[in-house]
Amino acid sequence: MILNLSGNKSFAQNKIDQKIQFTKTPSWVKKYPKPKKQEYDGSFSLMQREIQNNHILKEKYIKDLYHINSPRGFERFSYNNISFNQKKDSLLFCTISIHRKGKIIDLIEKVYIERYNNAKSLGEKKYEKTTDIEVHFDNLKFEDVIEVSYVLKNKDNTKTKPFYFEDVLQVENLRGTKYVLLIEDLGSIDYTVSNAKQKVKKYRKNGANVFEYKYSQKNVGDEVEQNSSDAKIYFYPRNNWNTIVLEELKKMELDTFPSKKVHEKVHELTKGLLSLESKITKVLDFTQKEISNLNSSYSNSNFADTALDLTYADDKSKAILTIKMLEVLGVKSWPVLIRTNEFKNEIEKITSTSVFDRKIIEYIFEKDTLIFDPFSFANYGKLRHRQFKDFNLGLRMLPNAIKFIQPKELIENELLLTAIYAPTEKSENFDEFGYFDDFNAFKYDINLKIKGPIANNLNSVYEKLDSKKIKKQYIEFLNEKYINIYGQLASKQIQFDFEMNSENGVINSNFKLKDTSKVNFRTGHELLEEIEGDRRTSQFSNPMKIFNVYDKENLWKSYNESKFKKREAFFKIKKADWMNIFKPDTLIIENDWIKYHKKTWESQDTIYASYAAEFLKPTMIEENNDEMVEVYDKIQKANSIDLRYEFDYSERKGFWFYNRFLPYLGLTSLVVLFFVPWVLFIRARRKLKKLKKQKRI
């Protein structure tokens, strides 16, 4: 949902002068009560939304009510919540009006409506045509209510598409209620609610099944009837996965032999190649890099030949083409349906292929099952380095072996860090006031090595960007989740070397200071971090992150998003004079999902530290979170080394003095030198006066 508010709007130049169609509200649409006005925050608020989907008539009705909260109103208010596929749907407005002081101002054919046509260009042709609509309201006043409703009609009523509906139980800017109604005529429909407690009313009307529910929000982020922002609801036909997969495989025409055109293309690509791996690599390179990606399908049959003819295809056609070309090489392969954007425990029971968002493939090579996505960014290197793991759940579509899979052995990436730290000249000295001068400034030499398929994240742009941009992308990628070396990158004195070996799936990089004479605590690595609390202890903090999480309640998600199975770090820290409390330490944590080893020791004025972590499971679920937090706390504590305790005294040019009591000592001296003599003088004078009186008596 995007609403544009402005006083003077410049309309886009690509306006398409096409007539906007209008119709009456369909008779099947249910009328819901108008919302009562209440106090709203912000300049405008979505008071109510209605989504009604008639699967029988292939129509979808949407209605929005917006309340203007700004006391000044708006000179121009743009409603642009409408976007649809020109090939599949047609748009008809039902109502465009303003509710003002008990009256309804009908603006049908009176408001300014812009229509923008968008498309993806491939050569001279345009594909994936979509249309965006903007409705512009003028001179809106405080407490006006805008009403916009419309119908999207499916143009192909003869096409039988399985019923499926997925809804996110949270709406941006909603300050009221959302109503949802579904009508279908299938025999049995099930629904699943994920991360929520949402009631659904089911009944029959006019021979059809009707599902109805509502939920409300008071403020952004509030979830009145749902538990989290990930709350969703799914509606789908009751079925079993075996039947669904067999029907889908039949539609994909995988039981037919590769065509003559496919055979000729494979022979053309592999001519002169001897090894099977080189031939497979040629095929995978072709389908991934030479066949352009489209999100929409432009073929209902003969998928492989059509993709070759058009040189573009959707994920389904590219997967089929890859499978057919591998079949020519005698390589067994099959499709896999995957869910890439989120992980849901309930997905396995949602019996609909629509719950997945992409098709990829699995194939057999040297007795290993490898996975490949011809629709992803370009891959390089050996076949095992090209494996695709950026999905949370997959459905293997192999007859007699249908099963759900997770990217288990695919997490083969390793992050290796070795570093040498030595104190700068400044960190060995004290300033004129007796305090350490940049005691945490260290010169360093840090080597980072990345091994595994993850190297392809940079290979995709390796030939398109200059080395400077690749380095920047590489650093940002690492610093985002895996290491913390911002302190080392803050100066021009830093030398950064970068080397990529795409064939072996290895990236080597090095960070070091070019000129240590100019180093200070900002350009040198800030080796120490102060601990909160009474104990004034400073620590060395391992720059490699074992976990990257800001919310412990979602630690399991951080685990699932990690791209490294193994992480190892080795440090050599040359001791400085101020390091006074280091103690050797060892920690071993081993369970069914993580193996963590830490060891520190000292030898010849050098502190050594070794860390190693390995994730043993491909994914974790929310129910594991409490156990994970307990381990996380131990690792976070162990990830640092105590090096210095700040005593109450400081060293100053050859002698010791008590820093904490110096102010008290000075004050005491003043009392002794000035106040005490005066007191003694006054007391002595009083005694003299008494003695004189006694003599007179």
Side-chain angles (χ1 to χ4, degrees), residues 551-566:
D551 179 9
K552 288 186 181 181
E553 293 182 358
N554 292 313
L555 185 59
W556 65 282
K557 289 185 179 180
S558 173
Y559 182 99
N560 294 341
E561 293 169 358
S562 175
K563 296 182 183 298
F564 291 98
K565 180 178 182 180
K566 293 182 180 180

Side-chain angles (χ1 to χ4, degrees), residues 500-517:
M500 176 185 293
N501 187 325
S502 59
E503 180 64 25
N504 295 323
V506 175
I507 300 174
N508 290 304
S509 57
N510 176 266
F511 304 87
K512 68 175 62 173
L513 287 172
K514 292 186 290 185
D515 183 0
T516 59
S517 64

Side-chain angles (χ1 to χ4, degrees), residues 75-103:
E75 183 181 341
R76 172 61 54 82
F77 184 99
S78 299
Y79 175 91
N80 57 354
N81 186 45
I82 306 172
S83 182
F84 62 98
N85 188 306
Q86 303 172 27
K87 181 182 177 182
K88 298 179 180 179
D89 301 310
S90 58
L91 171 71
L92 296 92
F93 278 100
C94 300
T95 59
I96 303 176
S97 61
I98 297 175
H99 298 248
R100 179 179 295 165
K101 296 181 179 180
K103 296 182 180 180

